Amino acid sequence: MTDYMVRKAPLFSGLDDEAAADLEESMRRVDLKRGQVLFHEGDQSDRMYVIAEGKIKIGRAAPDGRSTLLKLLGPGEEFGELSLFDPDCRSGTATAVTEARLYALSNHDLRPWLESRPEVALALLRQLSHRMRQSREVVADLVFSDVPARVAKTLLELSTRFGTPKDEGVHVWHDLTQEELAQLVGASRETVNKALADFGNRGWLRLEPRAVVLLDIDRLKQRSH
């Protein structure tokens, strides 16, 4: 079986070679430099994207001018699926955290393709349902969890997607600034830094520039609840 890039995305993981090849022929490659904006909040949404290399952050601006980081995405993840059903304005701004290579698919090309492949349409609905559950969990965490618990949970979640196991622990290259990491947690930078310092003093992790080494996964899991 050919290793098609598009099959790295959960939405298209079950495609056979012929379907994967057909889909990739319809996609347009997009290369981004670090810090480059792919689209802004409020832009017209007319396509979805699959990340082949690099990391993309999705953020929103509050009415008072503050920024919120909604999610950090990496290779094999897709975003912008809602444009397939509701080609309205973008609900967030997508920015390259690192150099990135994406593949874009317009709703004009994908919709008829989905109609002939109901299994992919079902996978898309499952993916959207998963995103909705994640959103509900984020809201629940903001209401019921303290900041240290949210910091621990965020680091563990990042480790499952961007972590590399080493002898001393799991190296998590998130490529975020301290302010961006705090936005992802949903708290002030000062409060998040205090929690990180406490975890470091306890020997649970070690901070590095735009990265963290998780030294005691079990303790972090306990603290995340």
Side-chain angles (χ1 to χ4, degrees):
M1 181 176 287
T2 305
D3 186 23
Y4 287 100
M5 177 281 305
V6 73
R7 275 202 292 245
K8 295 178 181 179
L11 179 59
F12 304 116
S13 60
L15 296 181
D16 57 30
D17 282 356
E18 180 180 1
D22 288 344
L23 184 59
E24 286 200 4
E25 287 182 2
S26 301
M27 303 181 85
R28 178 175 65 87
R29 174 170 170 167
V30 179
D31 293 297
L32 299 175
K33 297 180 180 178
R34 180 174 178 173
Q36 185 174 351
V37 174
L38 176 64
F39 55 74
H40 290 89
E41 180 179 350
D43 287 352
Q44 187 66 31
S45 61
D46 61 353
R47 64 193 62 222
M48 64 169 292
Y49 298 88
V50 177
I51 303 174
E53 296 178 3
K55 297 183 181 74
I56 300 291
K57 65 178 181 179
I58 309 295
R60 293 195 67 176
D64 61 5
R66 291 180 299 171
S67 298
T68 300
L69 183 57
L70 300 177
K71 64 184 71 174
L72 178 67
L73 303 171
E77 295 185 282
E78 70 270 358
F79 60 98
E81 307 97 321
L82 288 178
S83 65
L84 303 178
F85 302 103
D86 185 22
D88 201 349
C89 298
R90 295 289 186 186
S91 58
T93 297
T95 308
V97 178
T98 65
E99 289 188 357
R101 175 165 56 90
L102 317 175
Y103 285 88
L105 186 67
S106 69
N107 55 10
H108 177 268
D109 289 328
L110 184 56
R111 288 191 67 126
W113 191 86
L114 283 176
E115 291 171 358
S116 64
R117 292 175 173 83
E119 72 280 2
V120 179
L122 289 174
L124 175 58
L125 291 175
R126 285 194 297 269
Q127 185 75 356
L128 293 176
S129 297
H130 176 66
R131 295 278 174 87
M132 291 179 64
R133 286 194 296 270
Q134 284 183 320
S135 298
R136 288 197 296 268
E137 289 179 6
V138 169
V139 172
D141 286 341
L142 290 173
V143 174
F144 299 113
S145 299
D146 60 13
V147 173
R150 300 208 304 268
V151 171
K153 187 172 184 178
T154 298
L155 294 176
L156 290 169
E157 194 273 334
L158 290 173
S159 74
T160 63
R161 296 158 58 225
F162 306 115
T164 302
K166 299 290 182 69
D167 292 338
E168 61 177 338
V170 180
H171 286 239
V172 184
W173 302 99
H174 51 70
D175 291 293
L176 298 174
T177 65
Q178 290 181 328
E179 181 64 31
E180 289 170 334
L181 183 59
Q183 291 175 11
L184 193 61
V185 171
S188 69
R189 185 174 65 178
E190 293 76 15
T191 308
V192 171
N193 285 347
K194 183 178 179 180
L196 290 171
D198 179 56
F199 293 168
N201 291 334
R202 294 173 184 269
W204 299 355
L205 57 77
R206 185 179 72 248
L207 296 175
E208 295 184 353
R210 295 182 181 263
V212 62
V213 183
L214 305 187
L215 304 173
D216 195 330
I217 297 292
D218 291 336
R219 292 286 188 180
L220 288 169
K221 285 182 178 179
Q222 292 174 9
R223 189 61 186 86
S224 69
H225 298 297

XYZ file of all heavy atoms in Angstrom, residues 78-137:
484
model
N -6.246 17.607 10.523
C -6.933 18.459 9.564
C -7.732 19.516 10.308
O -8.059 19.360 11.489
C -7.858 17.644 8.655
C -9.084 17.082 9.332
C -8.890 15.702 9.938
O -7.784 15.144 9.797
O -9.843 15.198 10.544
N -8.052 20.595 9.616
C -8.883 21.633 10.201
C -9.628 22.360 9.088
O -9.275 22.266 7.924
C -8.049 22.617 11.039
C -6.960 23.344 10.276
C -7.165 24.632 9.805
C -5.733 22.742 10.039
C -6.163 25.306 9.121
C -4.726 23.407 9.351
C -4.943 24.686 8.888
N -10.683 23.060 9.483
C -11.515 23.764 8.507
C -12.626 22.918 7.932
O -13.237 23.289 6.921
N -12.933 21.765 8.592
C -13.954 20.877 8.044
C -15.341 21.502 8.015
O -16.173 21.131 7.182
C -14.037 19.570 8.867
C -12.719 18.856 9.050
C -12.092 19.208 10.392
O -12.177 20.380 10.797
O -11.535 18.316 11.020
N -15.589 22.423 8.929
C -16.931 23.012 8.983
C -17.301 23.750 7.703
O -18.486 23.918 7.395
C -17.031 23.978 10.175
C -17.072 23.329 11.564
C -17.122 24.413 12.631
C -18.257 22.392 11.694
N -16.291 24.173 6.955
C -16.576 24.883 5.702
C -17.277 23.984 4.692
O -17.895 24.472 3.745
C -15.278 25.429 5.101
O -14.416 24.376 4.711
N -17.204 22.665 4.883
C -17.876 21.739 3.969
C -19.386 21.829 4.118
O -20.135 21.606 3.174
C -17.418 20.302 4.242
C -15.914 20.047 4.159
C -15.614 18.605 4.496
C -15.407 20.381 2.776
N -19.847 22.124 5.329
C -21.277 22.171 5.592
C -21.792 23.592 5.789
O -22.969 23.863 5.567
C -21.608 21.353 6.848
C -21.179 19.925 6.748
C -20.046 19.472 7.405
C -21.896 19.023 5.983
C -19.649 18.151 7.316
C -21.510 17.695 5.887
C -20.381 17.262 6.554
N -20.923 24.469 6.241
C -21.340 25.831 6.551
C -20.261 26.805 6.074
O -19.460 27.283 6.862
C -21.556 25.970 8.065
C -22.103 27.332 8.442
O -22.687 27.993 7.564
O -21.939 27.741 9.604
N -20.241 27.081 4.764
C -19.198 27.960 4.209
C -19.405 29.415 4.609
O -19.668 30.278 3.789
C -19.341 27.753 2.703
C -20.769 27.374 2.510
C -21.155 26.575 3.726
N -19.280 29.650 5.904
C -19.459 30.982 6.454
C -18.083 31.566 6.765
O -17.071 31.102 6.251
C -20.322 30.904 7.716
C -20.978 32.224 8.065
O -20.592 33.241 7.454
O -21.863 32.234 8.927
N -18.022 32.551 7.634
C -16.739 33.174 7.987
C -15.940 32.290 8.935
O -16.508 31.531 9.732
C -16.989 34.536 8.633
S -17.814 35.714 7.531
N -14.629 32.378 8.852
C -13.752 31.625 9.743
C -13.974 32.070 11.189
O -14.091 33.260 11.481
C -12.282 31.862 9.377
C -11.879 31.343 8.001
C -11.846 29.838 7.964
N -11.315 29.368 6.673
C -11.279 28.077 6.317
N -11.751 27.155 7.144
N -10.778 27.730 5.148
N -14.007 31.084 12.089
C -14.239 31.384 13.501
C -12.947 31.649 14.260
O -12.974 31.969 15.442
C -14.983 30.226 14.168
O -14.245 29.014 14.042
N -11.792 31.502 13.596
C -10.520 31.754 14.240
C -9.453 32.091 13.220
O -9.689 32.032 12.002
N -8.271 32.448 13.710
C -7.132 32.773 12.858
C -6.126 31.634 12.911
O -5.763 31.172 13.996
C -6.454 34.076 13.328
O -7.385 35.143 13.199
C -5.219 34.390 12.501
N -5.678 31.167 11.754
C -4.708 30.074 11.671
C -3.338 30.644 11.329
O -3.181 31.336 10.312
C -5.137 29.067 10.606
N -2.352 30.344 12.172
C -1.006 30.874 12.015
C 0.011 29.752 12.137
O -0.145 28.856 12.979
C -0.706 31.933 13.097
O -1.752 32.910 13.107
C 0.625 32.619 12.849
N 1.046 29.805 11.323
C 2.102 28.792 11.386
C 2.998 29.049 12.593
O 3.590 30.119 12.719
C 2.924 28.815 10.107
N 3.090 28.076 13.483
C 3.976 28.167 14.644
C 5.406 27.848 14.228
O 6.365 28.387 14.777
C 3.504 27.201 15.750
C 4.444 27.235 16.948
C 2.085 27.552 16.181
N 5.540 26.960 13.253
C 6.826 26.610 12.656
C 6.668 26.702 11.140
O 5.566 26.961 10.643
C 7.236 25.174 13.029
O 6.285 24.253 12.436
C 7.237 24.967 14.540
N 7.717 26.482 10.405
C 7.542 26.299 8.963
C 6.599 25.123 8.761
O 6.693 24.107 9.458
C 8.886 26.042 8.285
C 9.794 27.253 8.231
C 11.024 27.010 7.373
O 11.193 25.874 6.869
O 11.815 27.945 7.205
N 5.685 25.253 7.812
C 4.661 24.232 7.668
C 4.345 23.970 6.201
O 4.471 24.854 5.357
C 3.392 24.649 8.408
N 3.939 22.739 5.951
C 3.464 22.350 4.620
C 2.076 21.754 4.789
O 1.885 20.796 5.537
C 4.412 21.345 3.970
C 3.913 20.803 2.619
C 5.051 20.100 1.861
N 5.654 19.042 2.640
C 5.244 17.758 2.623
N 4.209 17.405 1.875
N 5.867 16.855 3.354
N 1.121 22.337 4.094
C -0.268 21.915 4.186
C -0.776 21.503 2.809
O -0.185 21.839 1.782
C -1.157 23.048 4.713
C -0.666 23.891 5.879
C -1.654 25.025 6.135
C -0.502 23.051 7.110
N -1.900 20.803 2.813
C -2.601 20.508 1.570
C -4.048 20.934 1.733
O -4.725 20.558 2.697
C -2.497 19.021 1.222
C -1.122 18.665 0.707
C -0.115 18.299 1.587
C -0.820 18.748 -0.646
C 1.167 18.000 1.125
C 0.451 18.457 -1.121
C 1.431 18.084 -0.228
O 2.696 17.805 -0.686
N -4.507 21.773 0.818
C -5.836 22.366 0.898
C -6.793 21.688 -0.073
O -6.410 21.313 -1.184
C -5.758 23.859 0.581
N -8.023 21.547 0.369
C -9.065 20.968 -0.470
C -10.304 21.847 -0.368
O -10.818 22.081 0.726
C -9.389 19.540 -0.015
C -10.368 18.759 -0.887
C -9.761 18.477 -2.257
C -10.748 17.454 -0.204
N -10.765 22.355 -1.503
C -11.921 23.247 -1.493
C -13.202 22.439 -1.293
O -13.285 21.258 -1.653
C -12.006 24.023 -2.807
O -12.350 23.156 -3.870
N -14.213 23.091 -0.716
C -15.489 22.397 -0.541
C -16.119 22.078 -1.891
O -16.865 21.116 -2.030
C -16.444 23.206 0.347
C -16.657 24.619 -0.163
O -16.253 24.955 -1.279
N -17.283 25.452 0.645
N -15.802 22.867 -2.905
C -16.317 22.598 -4.253
C -15.818 21.249 -4.760
O -16.546 20.504 -5.425
C -15.880 23.711 -5.198
C -16.295 23.494 -6.625
N -15.488 22.853 -7.560
C -17.455 23.810 -7.277
C -16.119 22.797 -8.711
N -17.296 23.367 -8.575
N -14.549 20.899 -4.442
C -13.983 19.621 -4.885
C -14.380 18.469 -3.967
O -14.571 17.328 -4.431
C -12.453 19.706 -4.934
C -11.965 20.594 -6.068
O -12.642 20.654 -7.107
O -10.906 21.237 -5.911
N -14.481 18.745 -2.670
C -14.689 17.651 -1.725
C -16.143 17.205 -1.629
O -16.411 16.012 -1.484
C -14.190 18.066 -0.339
C -14.261 16.980 0.743
C -13.508 15.727 0.302
C -13.707 17.488 2.054
N -17.090 18.108 -1.744
C -18.484 17.721 -1.523
C -18.959 16.635 -2.487
O -19.523 15.626 -2.057
C -19.389 18.949 -1.588
C -19.251 19.853 -0.397
C -20.336 20.899 -0.367
N -21.637 20.259 -0.139
C -22.461 20.613 0.850
N -22.129 21.564 1.677
N -23.617 20.015 0.993
N -18.756 16.757 -3.802
C -19.183 15.665 -4.684
C -18.390 14.390 -4.445
O -18.914 13.287 -4.615
C -18.923 16.230 -6.086
C -17.936 17.319 -5.902
C -18.235 17.906 -4.565
N -17.132 14.556 -4.012
C -16.297 13.387 -3.703
C -16.865 12.642 -2.496
O -16.907 11.415 -2.470
C -14.869 13.873 -3.442
C -13.837 12.792 -3.374
C -13.152 12.240 -4.420
C -13.352 12.153 -2.201
N -12.269 11.288 -3.957
C -12.383 11.224 -2.602
C -13.642 12.274 -0.848
C -11.696 10.417 -1.703
C -12.971 11.475 0.052
C -12.010 10.560 -0.370
N -17.365 13.374 -1.500
C -17.967 12.761 -0.325
C -19.278 12.052 -0.670
O -19.586 10.994 -0.117
C -18.236 13.825 0.746
C -17.046 14.328 1.565
C -17.500 15.439 2.498
C -16.418 13.199 2.361
N -20.032 12.646 -1.567
C -21.325 12.062 -1.915
C -21.178 10.676 -2.527
O -22.073 9.834 -2.396
C -22.065 12.998 -2.880
C -22.528 14.294 -2.221
C -23.070 15.299 -3.217
O -23.051 14.980 -4.433
O -23.491 16.390 -2.803
N -20.058 10.418 -3.165
C -19.830 9.105 -3.772
C -19.109 8.149 -2.825
O -18.914 6.985 -3.153
C -19.009 9.249 -5.062
O -17.717 9.763 -4.781
N -18.718 8.650 -1.636
C -18.017 7.808 -0.659
C -18.627 8.037 0.718
O -18.091 8.779 1.533
C -16.522 8.132 -0.651
C -15.809 7.721 -1.933
C -14.357 8.181 -1.934
N -13.623 7.653 -3.070
C -13.641 8.206 -4.274
N -14.356 9.289 -4.493
N -12.959 7.669 -5.266
N -19.755 7.402 0.986
C -20.457 7.631 2.266
C -19.620 7.261 3.485
O -19.825 7.820 4.556
C -21.705 6.751 2.153
C -21.390 5.749 1.085
C -20.483 6.438 0.134
N -18.677 6.330 3.343
C -17.861 5.949 4.502
C -16.990 7.106 4.976
O -16.723 7.261 6.172
C -16.992 4.726 4.171
C -15.805 4.955 3.229
C -16.201 4.994 1.751
O -17.415 4.889 1.470
O -15.307 5.095 0.910
N -16.553 7.942 4.023
C -15.746 9.101 4.401
C -16.634 10.172 5.035
O -16.225 10.857 5.980
C -14.992 9.665 3.183
C -14.173 10.895 3.580
C -14.068 8.609 2.598
N -17.853 10.303 4.524
C -18.789 11.258 5.125
C -19.085 10.872 6.570
O -19.162 11.739 7.460
C -20.079 11.297 4.310
N -19.226 9.576 6.840
C -19.448 9.119 8.209
C -18.228 9.394 9.079
O -18.361 9.783 10.247
C -19.774 7.626 8.212
C -21.146 7.234 7.658
C -21.279 5.721 7.581
C -22.258 7.811 8.529
N -17.029 9.196 8.511
C -15.806 9.486 9.261
C -15.724 10.971 9.592
O -15.264 11.353 10.678
C -14.579 9.055 8.450
N -16.175 11.812 8.664
C -16.178 13.252 8.904
C -17.123 13.604 10.054
O -16.785 14.401 10.932
C -16.593 13.990 7.636
C -16.753 15.506 7.749
C -15.455 16.148 8.211
C -17.179 16.088 6.412
N -18.296 12.973 10.084
C -19.246 13.229 11.166
C -18.673 12.767 12.503
O -18.857 13.435 13.527
C -20.575 12.522 10.882
C -21.393 13.084 9.713
C -22.624 12.218 9.463
C -21.795 14.518 9.995
N -17.973 11.623 12.511
C -17.340 11.158 13.745
C -16.282 12.140 14.220
O -16.158 12.412 15.421
C -16.720 9.776 13.536
C -17.725 8.636 13.478
C -17.059 7.286 13.608
N -16.147 7.012 12.503
C -16.508 6.389 11.395
N -17.766 5.989 11.238
N -15.626 6.165 10.430
N -15.523 12.668 13.266
C -14.482 13.627 13.612
C -15.082 14.903 14.189
O -14.585 15.448 15.184
C -13.651 13.952 12.371
C -12.452 14.854 12.622
C -11.309 14.131 13.311
O -11.427 12.965 13.671
N -10.218 14.834 13.510
N -16.145 15.390 13.593
C -16.796 16.594 14.104
C -17.406 16.342 15.477
O -17.367 17.215 16.347
C -17.867 17.060 13.118
C -17.364 17.558 11.763
C -18.533 17.894 10.837
C -16.453 18.757 11.923
N -17.953 15.148 15.682
C -18.501 14.807 16.995
C -17.400 14.782 18.044
O -17.590 15.241 19.181
C -19.205 13.444 16.941
O -20.302 13.472 16.061
N -16.237 14.254 17.657
C -15.091 14.229 18.574
C -14.666 15.640 18.946
O -14.367 15.929 20.112
C -13.941 13.474 17.910
C -12.678 13.457 18.724
N -12.581 12.808 19.932
C -11.450 14.024 18.501
C -11.367 12.968 20.431
N -10.663 13.693 19.580
N -14.657 16.531 17.961
C -14.290 17.922 18.235
C -15.298 18.568 19.192
O -14.916 19.351 20.069
C -14.229 18.711 16.926
C -13.139 18.264 15.966
C -11.797 18.855 16.329
N -10.733 18.302 15.493
C -10.402 18.797 14.310
N -11.043 19.841 13.825
N -9.411 18.248 13.627
N -16.570 18.246 19.034
C -17.581 18.802 19.925
C -17.389 18.306 21.348
O -17.516 19.079 22.312
C -18.982 18.442 19.414
C -19.382 19.128 18.118
S -21.031 18.647 17.566
C -22.034 19.279 18.902
N -17.065 17.022 21.509
C -16.817 16.499 22.849
C -15.605 17.160 23.478
O -15.600 17.480 24.673
C -16.621 14.982 22.793
C -17.907 14.202 22.565
C -17.714 12.736 22.859
N -16.753 12.126 21.938
C -17.077 11.579 20.786
N -18.353 11.573 20.394
N -16.162 11.044 20.005
N -14.564 17.384 22.671
C -13.387 18.067 23.179
C -13.729 19.480 23.647
O -13.232 19.924 24.692
C -12.309 18.132 22.093
C -11.574 16.821 21.850
C -10.485 16.984 20.810
O -10.646 17.666 19.804
N -9.345 16.353 21.045
N -14.575 20.165 22.885
C -14.967 21.522 23.272
C -15.707 21.525 24.596
O -15.498 22.402 25.447
C -15.833 22.151 22.181
O -15.117 22.275 20.965
N -16.586 20.541 24.786
C -17.314 20.449 26.049
C -16.365 20.168 27.206
O -16.539 20.700 28.310
C -18.398 19.371 25.964
C -19.580 19.754 25.085
C -20.776 18.864 25.368
N -20.495 17.466 25.029
C -20.768 16.929 23.844
N -21.316 17.677 22.891
N -20.512 15.659 23.613
N -15.343 19.333 26.970
C -14.369 19.037 28.015
C -13.579 20.279 28.398
O -13.286 20.499 29.585
C -13.415 17.935 27.549
C -14.053 16.550 27.465
C -13.073 15.502 26.976
O -11.872 15.837 26.819
O -13.493 14.361 26.755
